[in-house]
Amino acid sequence: MNEEYLNLIKPLIDQEEATQAKELLDNLHPADIAELCDELTLQEARFVYLLLDNETAADVLMEMDEDKRKQFLEVLPSETIAKRFVDHMDSDDAVDLIRELDEDKQEEVLSHIEDIEQAGDIIDLLKYDEDTAGGLMGTEMVVVNENWSMPECLKEMRQQAEELDEIYYIYVVDDDERLKGVFPLKKMITSPSVSKVKHVMRKDPLSVRVETPIDEVVQAIEKYDLVAIPVVDTIGRLVGQITVDDVMDEVREQSERDYQLASGLSQDVESDDKLLRQTRARLPWLLIGMVGGIGNSMLLGNFESTFARFPEMALYIPLIGGTGGNVGTQSSALVVQGLANNSLNAKDTYKQVGKEALVALINASIISLLVYVYNFIRFGPAATVTYSVSISLFTVVMFASIFGTFVPMTLEKLKIDPAIATGPFIAITNDIIGMMIYMGVTVLLS
């Protein structure tokens, strides 16, 4: 939200100049109004909401920051949530909103929904796991029967379309509500009026089951360039559809979650979250890193005599540890990305490890050779450090690359989020292993 605009509207809110404030809000998209409300206090945001019509207010609420929205919902009566917001939302948005409430308030809100059919749809959708297609889908769509004639089909489509904001596809079902095809709108114009829908529909459309994981839904929509995808139950009956806007929200949330895991955050946090929440999210990996650092110092402490003989070895501890951590993080990040976009399969573990080993061989050779030349010039060919650093660096790069590839693919096979294998986990592990290799090689050569 533009700071200048914020400074313009806040005085109007403070002075309760409803008419002028509403004129400013009328020119804004719901997402911009939501961004404005995120910057306001609860009382100021409440004043803004009172100026909005019900449909806009519902859209704004779903665009708000999640934490701010929860604060807002906590102070609103259940009846207001139902009639002011839920009654004017699509079923998928309504379900997302109700999931954020505690169980008692969920029941209260549902009891105040005026449309019994909508309340029933919401209750049905709440039964699905939120990480599946059933938990993401909406029930608003245009559905026609395969045995209808064109005039009958057109009449029914008009009636259904009046209650929808957007029409993505028109789905064709049989008498048992099983998905049979998609009706192309072009056929409505080009086909004779006597034709039945089943004669012109596009048969066997791509669909997903209610239990399909969301990441598979995302991959299907991305792969086939769809704007929506139908959802069917176990016997093929059409129960809903997932639209591309819902998928984009999910992709963004997954990307944020994976990035935070890779950065060493143990839970989802935002920059404006409370201090205690941010501390809880950051502290676990910091403690693990501290333990790893202590372990490293204990390991190096066992080689005091080696350092006494070759003090120049200490100069290369950051190089060995840092290179191993960087190489491992690079390898694991590529694997996690490949697993996420389905360009890499966990079944191809050994093939990917072999490919990564070849890449590591080239990188390790170049890096270790450059370091060897530097040490050769600085310490001379007879110095132990000239050989030990290069050999250790070569070995560490090879190990880190293979380890950084193998771990996330193994986690994927075990159904554990491979994103945790990037960042701190790989860096800490490679740092310790790198020091062990460095000390071991130096002792063997001395």
Side-chain angles (χ1 to χ4, degrees):
M1 172 58 61
N2 186 285
E3 189 70 25
E4 184 178 341
Y5 191 94
L6 190 63
N7 294 333
L8 183 64
I9 199 170
K10 284 197 75 168
L12 298 177
I13 297 173
D14 295 336
Q15 298 167 18
E16 298 187 356
E17 294 286 349
T19 303
Q20 296 182 50
K22 190 175 188 310
E23 289 177 358
L24 289 175
L25 295 172
D26 286 342
N27 298 322
L28 293 181
H29 187 277
D32 293 323
I33 301 176
E35 191 175 346
L36 168 67
C37 291
D38 289 339
E39 300 296 328
L40 302 175
T41 65
L42 286 178
Q43 287 301 320
E44 291 171 336
R46 181 177 180 275
F47 179 84
V48 169
Y49 269 94
L50 292 175
L51 302 177
L52 306 175
D53 61 75
N54 289 334
E55 290 190 3
T56 303
D59 291 339
V60 169
L61 187 66
M62 294 310 298
E63 294 286 347
M64 284 179 67
D65 175 77
E66 184 178 346
D67 292 334
K68 190 78 172 184
R69 181 169 61 244
K70 286 181 178 179
Q71 294 177 13
F72 201 65
L73 293 173
E74 286 175 0
V75 300
L76 288 176
S78 299
E79 185 175 2
T80 301
I81 295 174
K83 295 183 178 180
R84 175 76 162 151
F85 301 114
V86 176
D87 280 346
H88 304 279
M89 290 180 175
D90 290 338
S91 56
D92 54 340
D93 288 335
V95 169
D96 290 340
L97 180 68
I98 291 177
R99 285 189 196 275
E100 297 179 7
L101 308 174
D102 59 56
E103 291 186 7
D104 291 338
K105 199 158 188 176
Q106 284 184 9
E107 293 179 4
E108 292 176 10
V109 171
L110 289 169
S111 68
H112 288 296
I113 296 176
E114 295 180 351
D115 189 336
I116 300 299
E117 184 177 349
Q118 182 193 21
D121 287 342
I122 293 173
I123 291 172
D124 289 339
L125 292 175
L126 285 170
K127 296 176 182 177
Y128 296 111
D129 189 320
E130 60 183 320
D131 293 326
T132 63
L136 187 63
M137 71 181 182
T139 57
E140 292 81 13
M141 52 190 171
V142 178
V143 183
V144 299
N145 189 285
E146 64 177 351
N147 295 312
W148 288 349
S149 65
M150 285 299 172
E152 187 178 8
C153 176
L154 181 58
K155 178 182 177 182
E156 184 63 29
M157 285 167 55
R158 284 173 174 167
Q159 292 178 353
Q160 294 183 37
E162 288 179 359
E163 301 178 3
L164 301 178
D165 295 328
E166 300 286 346
I167 298 176
Y168 296 93
Y169 297 113
I170 297 168
Y171 300 109
V172 183
V173 298
D174 62 13
D175 294 333
D176 296 319
E177 302 298 326
R178 289 177 298 190
L179 179 65
K180 289 298 181 180
V182 174
F183 181 66
L185 291 176
K186 181 179 177 181
K187 296 293 184 180
M188 188 190 309
I189 302 171
T190 59
S191 299
S193 60
V194 294
S195 297
K196 288 187 175 182
V197 172
K198 63 182 178 183
H199 295 147
V200 295
M201 71 180 182
R202 191 170 70 248
K203 298 180 180 179
D204 301 321
L206 181 69
S207 63
V208 293
R209 299 270 288 269
V210 289
E211 67 273 14
T212 302
I214 288 180
D215 55 349
E216 293 184 18
V217 177
V218 171
Q219 290 167 9
I221 288 180
E222 181 183 16
K223 180 178 180 180
Y224 298 104
D225 294 326
L226 303 174
V227 294
I229 191 168
V231 184
V232 299
D233 63 13
T234 53
I235 59 174
R237 292 178 300 188
L238 180 65
V239 292
Q241 72 170 352
I242 297 173
T243 58
V244 68
D245 58 321
D246 297 321
V247 166
M248 290 303 296
D249 290 339
E250 185 60 32
V251 168
R252 176 181 56 80
E253 291 177 7
Q254 286 185 351
S255 298
E256 289 178 354
R257 187 164 55 247
D258 287 348
Y259 181 78
Q260 291 187 344
L261 279 174
S263 301
L265 298 175
S266 59
Q267 57 181 283
D268 185 22
V269 291
E270 301 290 343
S271 58
D272 58 352
D273 281 343
K274 294 180 180 179
L275 292 176
L276 185 59
R277 179 177 175 83
Q278 291 204 28
T279 301
R280 286 201 306 264
R282 300 181 185 190
L283 191 57
W285 272 116
L286 294 178
L287 291 174
I288 293 173
M290 180 194 72
V291 172
I294 292 174
N296 230 344
S297 65
M298 294 173 63
L299 172 67
L300 295 175
N302 294 323
F303 294 92
E304 290 182 359
S305 59
T306 306
F307 282 113
R309 292 174 57 196
F310 310 107
E312 63 274 12
M313 280 181 55
L315 300 174
Y316 294 93
I317 290 177
L319 174 65
I320 299 294
T323 303
N326 289 337
V327 170
T329 301
Q330 287 178 350
S331 299
S332 59
L334 286 174
V335 172
V336 171
Q337 182 184 27
L339 292 172
N341 61 27
N342 213 32
S343 63
L344 190 62
N345 195 307
K347 296 178 182 178
D348 301 326
T349 299
Y350 295 108
K351 179 181 177 182
Q352 183 64 25
V353 168
K355 180 179 179 181
E356 190 64 31
L358 291 175
V359 174
L361 181 63
I362 298 172
N363 290 334
S365 299
I366 294 173
I367 292 173
S368 59
L369 181 60
L370 290 174
V371 172
Y372 174 80
V373 172
Y374 171 77
N375 285 333
F376 184 90
I377 296 172
R378 182 176 181 182
F379 299 106
T384 300
V385 71
T386 302
Y387 299 96
S388 66
V389 173
S390 294
I391 295 173
S392 299
L393 201 55
F394 181 91
T395 308
V396 165
V397 171
M398 292 297 298
F399 170 81
S401 295
I402 295 171
F403 184 74
T405 303
F406 185 77
V407 170
M409 298 196 76
T410 302
L411 291 176
E412 176 74 7
K413 285 184 177 181
L414 298 174
K415 307 300 181 184
I416 301 173
D417 192 341
I420 64 174
T422 58
F425 176 77
I426 290 292
I428 293 168
T429 304
N430 283 330
D431 192 21
I432 295 174
I433 299 298
M435 287 303 101
M436 293 176 63
I437 293 172
Y438 184 32
M439 293 296 101
V441 169
T442 302
V443 170
L444 288 174
L445 292 178
S446 60

